[in-house]
Amino acid sequence: VNGLPAAADVSGLLAALCPPVGAPGLGGVHRVQSAPQGAPNDAASHHRRPAPTPVEGSATDRILALAADPASTLPAVKALARFTSAVTRQQGIDAARTLLSALRPPDGSAALPSGPALTAWVTGAAAIAAPAPDDPTAAMVVCAAARALGDDCLAAIAAGLQGAALVESGLNADASPGWSVQVVSAAIGAGLAAGLMLGLPEAELRNALGICATQAAGLRAAAETDAGPLQAGKAAFNAVEAALLASEGFTGGAEPLDGRRGLFALFRS
């Protein structure tokens, strides 16, 4: 991070954070390859999975159905453009520097951990730290998680945005006013996007959503403090980490949202 120029853009930031494929680091062995030159950067460039059954079931079932039928990527194009713009603002770069400096071991004896999960955390925090009130928190978190895993990410972002919106609609009426509904919802949508970027099959994708749900958090009281970007970036980190863990066989609740002890029940007033 000390080597970044003062006006480093998002490419420089990502290059500094992302290790080569197979390099040691936080999740560094699971990088997704970019699409071949000339491949359409759209839903058509991603393998479509069979729709889960039933499609009209629990909230988790409906989120998984988004993986089989990606939506239009136009909202994703706009969200990714806003994310890139936010991360390249000086305020975003400053936030990234501060976070990476805080994570560095005090004695400098060990290297800073690296990999896509850390990239998602730092770029997500940077995007939220840049003053742009019209940039939705959920969109920045979903973009951070998906973009950390590869360039060909529009279909994953499109599905992740829809997933976050579905969770937010399930929380808005019931959530205690102290929770940041946007950050909590973004964690689930970002987990879906990260899972799609890793090409997880349906069972592993469900586990990833469960691992995301058990880590979902965020306080409205933090929104106007430095902890606001921190908790949003950490949601992106948790999403990538959850997808990586699920790909290695870690399990989560089968109904992490609608279950009797699931996220919706927990967040009700």
Side-chain angles (χ1 to χ4, degrees), residues 91-208:
Q91 294 92 332
I93 296 296
D94 291 342
R97 290 178 184 277
T98 301
L99 178 55
L100 286 170
S101 177
L103 293 173
R104 190 180 297 279
D107 60 1
S109 59
L112 185 70
S114 59
L118 182 69
T119 299
W121 188 359
V122 173
T123 56
I128 298 298
D134 59 335
D135 291 340
T137 296
M140 299 298 99
V141 173
V142 170
C143 286
R147 179 61 184 82
L149 287 164
D151 298 324
D152 187 20
C153 57
L154 290 180
I157 291 173
L161 293 177
Q162 279 195 295
L166 192 155
V167 176
E168 185 170 351
S169 68
L171 287 173
N172 268 334
D174 296 322
S176 168
W179 293 108
S180 172
V181 171
Q182 275 207 327
V183 175
V184 171
S185 304
I188 309 300
L192 176 64
L196 292 177
M197 290 299 294
L198 291 176
L200 299 185
E202 183 185 322
E204 292 182 1
L205 199 54
R206 184 181 290 271
N207 284 328

Side-chain angles (χ1 to χ4, degrees), residues 41-52:
N41 196 1
D42 205 335
S45 63
H46 287 264
H47 175 66
R48 289 180 176 241
R49 298 160 180 77

Side-chain angles (χ1 to χ4, degrees), residues 58-105:
S58 68
T60 305
D61 291 331
R62 283 179 280 154
I63 290 174
L64 289 172
L66 299 172
D69 187 18
S72 166
T73 56
L74 181 57
V77 171
K78 295 179 179 179
L80 189 58
R82 286 182 166 188
F83 169 77
T84 303
S85 175
V87 174
T88 58
R89 297 188 189 107
Q90 190 59 50
Q91 294 92 332
I93 296 296
D94 291 342
R97 290 178 184 277
T98 301
L99 178 55
L100 286 170
S101 177
L103 293 173
R104 190 180 297 279

